[in-house]
Amino acid sequence: MKESTFNPTQQEKDISSKIVAGMERVSEVFKILLWEKAKLVGLSPIQIQVLTFIAFHKQELCNVSHLAKEFNVTKPTISDAIKVLDKKRMIIKDFSSSDSRSYSITLSELGTEIISQTYDFSNPLKKQIDSFSSSELESLFGTLSQLIYKLNRNGILSVQRTCYGCKFYQKKQESDYCNLLQKELLNREIRLDCPEYEEKANG
């Protein structure tokens, strides 16, 4: 029981535990900001997350199966969120795919209007991050992008569209290189959510 990242005594002697505890605090901030916006528009946090994702991602990712993976929830949970959004006329179901049982989801006019009121829910957090220096931001981002990649490789994070897991990514000597863009990538140019991402064949 004593060996816990949330035990202050352990945090004093183990910086990794301190960082994990700090990340938990930041995740709480994210949840609080999301809840505040959700209450304003009469939606649940997952419903806002679904609308936001649909607004900024290509259509082939906007279906129940992928959304369930994206938010690490079950398909029934996403289906329930979709039912409510459909009932409130915030989304449009597109059944034009070859599989008549599946559909992709786009925003309706009302959904777009709601997104314009809610997509910036994380701005108070961004404002604080903006106050760090360029070198601090690059260092933080470098660590964060590697952490996301490792969590995905270990099966803890089911979806990631970062350069490190992409078939176009290559490590050349000490530099990162994108074969699609045909350019060397600076640390700050590594993407966490790339529209052109294609998973490496070896997974």
Side-chain angles (χ1 to χ4, degrees):
M1 192 66 161
K2 289 178 183 176
E3 292 296 312
S4 168
T5 52
F6 301 105
N7 183 339
T9 306
Q10 180 167 319
Q11 289 175 23
E12 287 308 308
K13 59 186 180 185
D14 177 31
I15 193 164
S16 294
S17 295
K18 216 177 267 189
I19 289 167
V20 171
M23 290 175 80
E24 195 246 355
R25 295 270 177 94
V26 173
S27 76
E28 286 301 318
V29 170
F30 197 87
K31 281 191 276 189
I32 289 163
L33 294 173
L34 186 53
W35 262 114
E36 283 176 357
K37 281 287 185 182
K39 283 186 284 188
L40 282 176
V41 293
L43 295 174
S44 72
I46 188 67
Q47 288 159 9
I48 287 194
Q49 287 177 296
V50 166
L51 287 178
T52 305
F53 185 87
I54 293 166
F56 298 108
H57 292 83
K58 54 190 176 184
Q59 207 170 339
E60 54 260 43
L61 297 179
C62 301
N63 56 63
V64 171
S65 295
H66 185 82
L67 289 166
K69 280 186 196 169
E70 185 72 30
F71 298 111
N72 289 297
V73 295
T74 63
K75 284 185 187 178
T77 299
I78 289 294
S79 293
D80 287 345
I82 295 297
K83 270 181 206 161
V84 173
L85 294 171
D86 191 31
K87 196 174 177 181
K88 293 190 175 193
R89 301 189 176 177
M90 294 182 186
I91 57 158
I92 298 162
K93 292 179 180 179
D94 180 356
F95 289 92
S96 61
S97 74
S98 54
D99 182 355
S100 59
R101 293 166 302 167
S102 69
Y103 55 87
S104 59
I105 305 149
T106 57
L107 293 183
S108 67
E109 202 173 314
L110 178 58
T112 304
E113 192 183 312
I114 291 295
I115 279 301
S116 71
Q117 298 170 40
T118 59
Y119 75 95
D120 61 349
F121 74 89
S122 60
N123 276 9
L125 184 56
K126 184 183 181 299
K127 188 179 177 185
Q128 298 309 312
I129 292 171
D130 283 342
S131 67
F132 290 104
S133 70
S134 295
S135 60
E136 286 171 324
L137 289 172
E138 289 212 20
S139 173
L140 177 59
F141 177 70
T143 305
L144 192 60
S145 55
Q146 286 286 351
L147 176 60
I148 288 169
Y149 177 65
K150 287 180 180 182
L151 289 170
N152 175 258
R153 286 289 156 251
N154 284 285
I156 298 164
L157 193 62
S158 58
V159 172
Q160 56 93 26
R161 287 178 294 279
T162 183
C163 296
Y164 302 125
C166 181
K167 75 173 191 179
F168 299 119
Y169 171 81
Q170 188 181 354
K171 191 79 175 170
K172 285 192 173 182
Q173 283 91 42
E174 290 304 304
S175 64
D176 301 302
Y177 189 84
C178 176
N179 288 303
L180 179 67
L181 301 177
Q182 297 193 330
K183 62 174 279 196
E184 186 178 320
L185 300 169
L186 300 175
N187 177 43
R188 65 174 177 270
E189 293 176 314
I190 294 289
R191 297 176 179 181
L192 291 186
D193 190 358
C194 178
E196 283 85 35
Y197 174 84
E198 288 187 37
E199 193 170 353
K200 283 178 187 170
N202 61 6

